[in-house]
Structure formats: structure tokens, C-alpha cells
């Protein structure tokens, strides 16, 4: 099928590679695999996958560099799989462009749930003709209330997945886009880090799912990346205001 979802597994350990391949196949993906970083980057260029699982400890190029290279041409969701538990490795992974991470050993069911949550978010910009005609199923479906937002020189369009600041279009990852949209949507209401974790999992309310300190820390890293791209100042925020010890909210309207 031409519209089949494509998954890519970049992993040098044969057993783990086959396990992840099985998880993705059972979730309905057409799966390709790579046992090295260079091979993975090449396959990602050729296949344009929707989701990539990426081992950090590859034999040729480490996963951080693979993620950076893939981010130069792909908006695929990237889930890093790592045997390392150090927080620094997690932060570097997220800063290099990954959307999520799991530490080994992981439960196949958890990997599948994380990927399912990612795939409930729009993957790419819809065709303008579809948007005009109303034929785009992604726009006609779950979130008709999510439209356009304007704040202090920033313009966000949910339907076209674009963010423009002072006339310049920003290149955001989908995770960064979702976080920015969540704050614009909430206005001056504070969004806690737990709220934002649930938003990234596409959980519209607290369903009792476990949220760890590492999950909340990953939100901090994504927000830091978003600030850098927007050129926003934590001390004098134009858009993203930190509420210490709680979360984030939209900065006041400039006058």
C-alpha cells in the first residue's frame, strides 16, 4: 500500500533489532532495519520513515550524531533506545533531535504505546488544496478547535503546522510545535510539566499514567530547545514564561 506507515530500526544488536521490528510490524508498520548509523541515515533518506528507533551505542557513528544527521532532512519521530541511564545522555539525545527515549531493557508494550501516541499527532504539513477543499482527514477529525494563534509577533497555524516569528518561518520539531501550541492554547494558564508530558502522549486528561522525573526533565529540554530556536530570553520572555517549580505559561502580551 502506498500510504502504509514506514518504520526504521537502527540497532546493531540482532536480538533487540528483531524484537523492535516485531513490535513495529504488529503495530502496522512496514519495517526496514539497519545495523549501523551510516546505513540508517541512508535508509532514512531513501524511505522517509514515519518513526525511527535509534540505538545510542552503534559501532560506527554514535546515536547522537545519527539523530543530528537525520534531522537535517527528516521530520520522522525518533525514539532513542539506550542501555545508558545517565541523565546527561538522555539530555544530549533530546537536544540532538530525538522526540522520546527508552532505556534498555524496555517492555515491548511500552514502546508500542509511546509510538502509538506519537502517531496520533499530525506527521506532516497537509496539502494546501486539501486544506482549502476541506478534504484533509487530519483536519476534519479530532481537533477542529485548534486553529490559528498570534502572540507578540509569533503566528502559529495548526492546520499547516507552521510557526512564523516576525515574518520568518521557524523549523521546529513536532514535539516543539506541540509544546508551543499547548502554551498558546492555554494562554496565561500555567501548564505543569506533567500536563505537557500527557499532551505529548496525546492524553487529553489525567488517566493515571505514570510520569517520571525523567519525563518531566525531557519537557524541560524540549522547552529549552524551543526557546533557543525562537530566540526567547528566559529572563525577559517574549513567549515562554517559566513558572518555577511548576511549569510554563505564555508570557504577557507586549504593549
Amino acid at each position: 500500500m502506498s500510504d502504509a506507515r514506514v518504520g526504521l530500526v537502527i540497532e546493531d544488536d540482532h536480538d533487540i533489532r528483531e524484537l523492535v521490528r516485531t513490535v513495529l510490524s504488529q503495530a502496522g508498520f512496514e519495517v526496514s532495519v539497519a545495523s549501523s548509523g551510516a546505513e540508517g541515515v541512508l535508509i532514512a533518506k531513501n524511505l522517509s520513515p514515519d518513526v525511527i528507533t535509534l540505538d545510542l551505542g552503534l559501532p560506527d557513528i554514535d546515536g547522537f550524531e545519527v539523530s543530528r544527521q537525520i534531522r537535517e532532512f527528516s521530520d520522522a519521530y525518533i525514539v532513542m533506545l539506550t542501555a545508558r541511564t545517565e541523565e546527561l545522555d538522555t539530555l544530549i539525545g533530546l537536544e540532538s533531535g530525538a522526540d522520546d527515549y527508552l532505556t534498555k531493557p524496555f517492555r515491548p508494550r511500552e514502546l508500542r504505546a509511546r509510538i502509538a501516541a506519537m502517531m496520533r499527532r499530525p506527521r506532516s504539513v497537509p496539502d494546501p488544496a486539501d486544506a482549502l477543499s476541506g478534504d484533509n482527514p487530519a483536519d476534519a477529525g479530532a481537533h477542529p478547535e485548534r486553529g490559528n494563534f498570534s502572540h507578540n509577533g509569533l503566528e502559529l497555524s495548526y492546520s499547516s503546522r507552521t510557526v512564523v516569528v516576525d515574518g520568518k518561518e521557524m523549523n521546529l520539531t513536532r514535539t516543539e510545535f506541540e509544546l508551543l501550541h499547548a502554551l498558546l492554547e492555554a494562554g496565561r494558564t500555567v501548564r505543569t510539566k506533567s500536563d505537557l508530558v500527557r499532551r505529548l502522549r496525546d492524553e487529553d486528561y489525567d488517566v493515571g499514567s505514570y510520569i517520571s522525573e525523567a519525563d518531566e526533565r525531557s519537557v524541560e529540554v524540549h522547552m529549552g530547545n524551543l526557546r533557543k530556536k525562537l530566540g526567547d530570553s528566559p529572563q525577559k520572555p517574549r513567549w515562554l514564561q517559566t513558572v518555577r517549580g511548576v511549569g510554563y505559561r505564555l508570557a504577557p502580551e507586549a504593549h
Side-chain angles (χ1 to χ4, degrees):
M1 294 175 60
S2 59
D3 60 349
R5 298 182 300 179
V6 176
L8 171 60
V9 180
I10 307 176
E11 169 66 61
D12 67 321
D13 184 290
H14 177 270
D15 292 339
I16 295 176
R17 189 167 64 241
E18 290 307 304
L19 172 62
V20 177
R21 184 214 292 265
T22 299
V23 170
L24 290 179
S25 295
Q26 290 175 347
F29 289 86
E30 290 185 355
V31 186
S32 294
V33 299
S35 58
S36 70
E39 182 186 11
V41 172
L42 183 60
I43 293 175
K45 279 184 179 178
N46 291 334
L47 292 186
S48 186
D50 300 89
V51 168
I52 298 170
T53 68
L54 174 58
D55 177 34
L56 278 187
L58 295 166
D60 54 343
I61 314 171
D62 70 39
F64 303 131
E65 180 59 26
V66 173
S67 179
R68 291 187 190 100
Q69 290 186 24
I70 289 174
R71 274 288 170 254
E72 291 178 1
F73 59 83
S74 174
D75 69 346
Y77 280 117
I78 298 177
V79 183
M80 284 194 162
L81 304 179
T82 175
R84 308 173 189 177
T85 57
E86 291 84 356
E87 183 182 36
L88 179 61
D89 286 329
T90 299
L91 302 186
I92 293 173
L94 295 174
E95 288 174 349
S96 69
D99 294 286
D100 205 349
Y101 70 95
L102 283 173
T103 54
K104 301 174 184 177
F106 58 86
R107 293 177 298 173
R109 188 168 66 179
E110 183 177 6
L111 174 60
R112 182 165 179 173
R114 298 275 185 105
I115 290 173
M118 289 176 173
M119 296 306 297
R120 286 195 290 269
R121 290 184 257 154
R123 176 171 183 264
S124 58
V125 176
D127 185 280
D130 290 340
L132 291 171
S133 67
D135 291 336
N136 185 359
D139 292 340
H143 303 292
E145 76 283 3
R146 296 180 181 175
N148 299 326
F149 294 87
S150 177
H151 187 74
N152 291 346
L154 182 149
E155 307 282 339
L156 180 146
S157 169
Y158 196 85
S159 61
S160 64
R161 306 288 292 182
T162 56
V163 173
V164 176
V165 173
D166 297 332
K168 178 183 177 183
E169 187 168 341
M170 298 286 101
N171 182 24
L172 304 184
T173 67
R174 280 163 297 152
T175 298
E176 293 160 359
F177 181 94
E178 288 293 337
L179 290 173
L180 178 60
H181 179 254
L183 295 188
L184 287 165
E185 202 174 42
R188 293 286 288 158
T189 301
V190 177
R191 299 297 301 263
T192 68
K193 294 171 191 175
S194 294
D195 287 340
L196 294 172
V197 171
R198 283 190 284 269
R199 176 60 170 266
L200 296 179
R201 294 178 180 174
D202 203 37
E203 297 173 1
D204 289 334
Y205 56 93
D206 187 356
V207 294
S209 58
Y210 176 67
I211 296 174
S212 68
E213 288 185 14
D215 291 328
E216 294 188 352
R217 182 67 178 128
S218 71
V219 166
E220 294 176 11
V221 175
H222 287 305
M223 291 295 290
N225 292 341
L226 179 57
R227 270 203 177 102
K228 289 177 186 175
K229 289 185 179 180
L230 295 177
D232 206 8
S233 166
Q235 291 73 35
K236 295 182 178 180
R238 188 175 171 186
W239 301 289
L240 312 176
Q241 184 176 57
T242 299
V243 180
R244 190 172 298 278
V246 182
Y248 305 89
R249 67 181 173 190
L250 204 60
E253 194 82 46
H255 297 290

